[in-house]
Amino acid sequence: MRPPADPHLSEESIRARLTTRVIGATLYVHDEVDSTNRLAADLAQAGAADGTVVVAESQTRGRGRLGRHWVSPSGMNLYVSIILTRMQPPPIITWIPLLAAVAVARTIHNAIGLPTRIKWPNDVLAYREGQARKIAGILAETTGGSPGGVRAVAVGIGINVNMPIEAFPEDLRPIATSLLIETGHTLDRVQFLASLLLEMEQLYEHLLKHGSARVMEPYCELSDTLGKHIQIELAGGGRAEGRAEAFAGDGALCLRTGNGTLLEIRAGDVVHLR
Ligand code: BTN
């Protein structure tokens, strides 16, 4: 009998494919959790090592950005959280979620040749017939150490891998997609995860050694937001509109508004207008 195209995620199968040194050296694999990010935050609080990874086959309360829910059915996607603890110098923290988006885009491209784009800050989009659909999302959450300080970041990555269109809630069907929908092929999630963790490790090492410039460059190349006229719902309330002109040294979005003011935006939800 032939092995299934996409075997179950297990610690043993993932370890057998891992080629990283740090990321995944400590690895937790679960069938079902509320949220891998919640679990990772608890582990980080308890002093988990840099590079600890939490993976689950399903999540009952998957967390999305800006308080949203992340749809996390069993046996078809990747839900993974990576604990990173080397936080110096400070812009490293703000670059980690952007770096994760670059790692996801590169892994998808290397695995199946599908080009993707990144909507600021870290939505990974696939284009079909001129229409962008979200294929992966990233939620980075910090954990406190010393009062006021950050001890660790839990980078949560959700990728729609082998999810058929019927498995999406109806309201998401026009705006979300999966690798299966885009290519018609089932992907081996274990191999894909091993490749993703290697990309993450390489980019993280670059960031630590050379600073954000090395990540800024590929991020800008993959950016779907840069140069576009956008509207942004600000995380603290309110709305801004203008041209996405650049990214600041910490990854903030520099928005040139109609009256010529340059705003630096650190959290929000972007709509691309043109
Ligand atoms: C977004 O809204 O775009 C971010 C989605 C992040 C989802 C991932 S799935 C693994 C990790 N655990 C969570 O609860 N959320 C993140």
Side-chain angles (χ1 to χ4, degrees):
M1 215 169 60
R2 272 207 284 158
D6 177 31
H8 193 73
L9 300 172
S10 69
E11 189 183 336
E12 200 189 358
S13 62
I14 297 169
R15 274 202 193 291
R17 305 276 182 88
L18 271 186
T19 53
T20 48
R21 281 186 316 111
V22 174
I23 295 189
T26 306
L27 174 67
Y28 298 92
V29 184
H30 297 274
D31 252 358
E32 182 180 281
V33 294
D34 53 351
S35 152
T36 57
N37 260 31
R38 203 273 307 150
L39 218 66
D42 285 358
L43 288 166
Q45 268 309 353
D50 187 43
T52 297
V53 170
V54 182
V55 180
E57 275 285 2
S58 69
Q59 301 183 115
T60 53
R61 296 173 69 104
R63 300 179 189 168
R65 285 182 65 238
L66 308 170
R68 296 190 187 117
H69 172 68
W70 187 257
V71 177
S72 311
S74 178
M76 49 182 82
N77 294 328
L78 280 172
Y79 317 113
V80 50
S81 298
I82 305 166
I83 300 171
L84 300 175
T85 65
R86 285 180 284 167
M87 294 294 119
Q88 293 301 323
I92 284 179
I93 300 174
T94 53
W95 271 97
I96 284 174
L98 310 184
L99 168 158
V102 173
V104 170
R106 281 187 175 173
T107 308
I108 292 175
H109 193 256
N110 292 342
I112 54 172
L114 181 75
T116 55
R117 312 284 296 157
I118 302 170
K119 184 173 84 157
W120 185 88
N122 43 32
D123 283 357
V124 181
L125 310 175
Y127 270 89
R128 188 168 10 106
E129 287 154 12
Q131 159 99 39
R133 296 176 181 85
K134 183 159 163 175
I135 207 158
I138 290 146
L139 175 69
E141 296 179 292
T142 52
T143 308
S146 55
V150 170
R151 207 203 81 77
V153 176
V155 200
I157 305 175
I159 308 176
N160 301 328
V161 183
N162 295 323
M163 190 160 171
I165 193 74
E166 322 79 74
F168 285 93
E170 246 170 68
D171 59 323
L172 292 184
R173 288 180 197 172
I175 55 170
T177 191
S178 70
L179 300 177
L180 172 72
I181 296 168
E182 294 307 311
T183 64
H185 298 294
T186 302
L187 207 74
D188 176 348
R189 287 174 300 153
V190 173
Q191 183 54 52
F192 187 89
L193 176 62
S195 308
L196 173 67
L197 297 183
L198 182 61
E199 283 292 347
M200 275 297 293
E201 180 162 290
Q202 287 169 345
L203 285 163
Y204 182 46
E205 293 296 345
H206 270 308
L207 182 65
L208 292 169
K209 256 193 219 127
H210 309 288
S212 59
R214 286 284 186 93
V215 182
M216 174 86 97
E217 211 180 284
Y219 182 81
C220 287
E221 272 168 27
L222 288 163
S223 175
D224 199 38
T225 303
L226 206 55
K228 281 198 173 147
H229 192 88
I230 64 167
Q231 198 173 69
I232 180 157
E233 302 273 352
L234 302 170
R239 191 177 280 181
E241 194 175 318
R243 187 176 169 274
E245 202 166 272
F247 300 109
D250 64 354
L253 176 67
C254 304
L255 185 79
R256 181 75 65 186
T257 65
N259 65 13
T261 312
L262 194 64
L263 300 178
E264 284 197 3
I265 295 165
R266 295 199 158 70
D269 211 14
V270 167
V271 179
H272 294 155
L273 298 176
R274 55 182 183 270

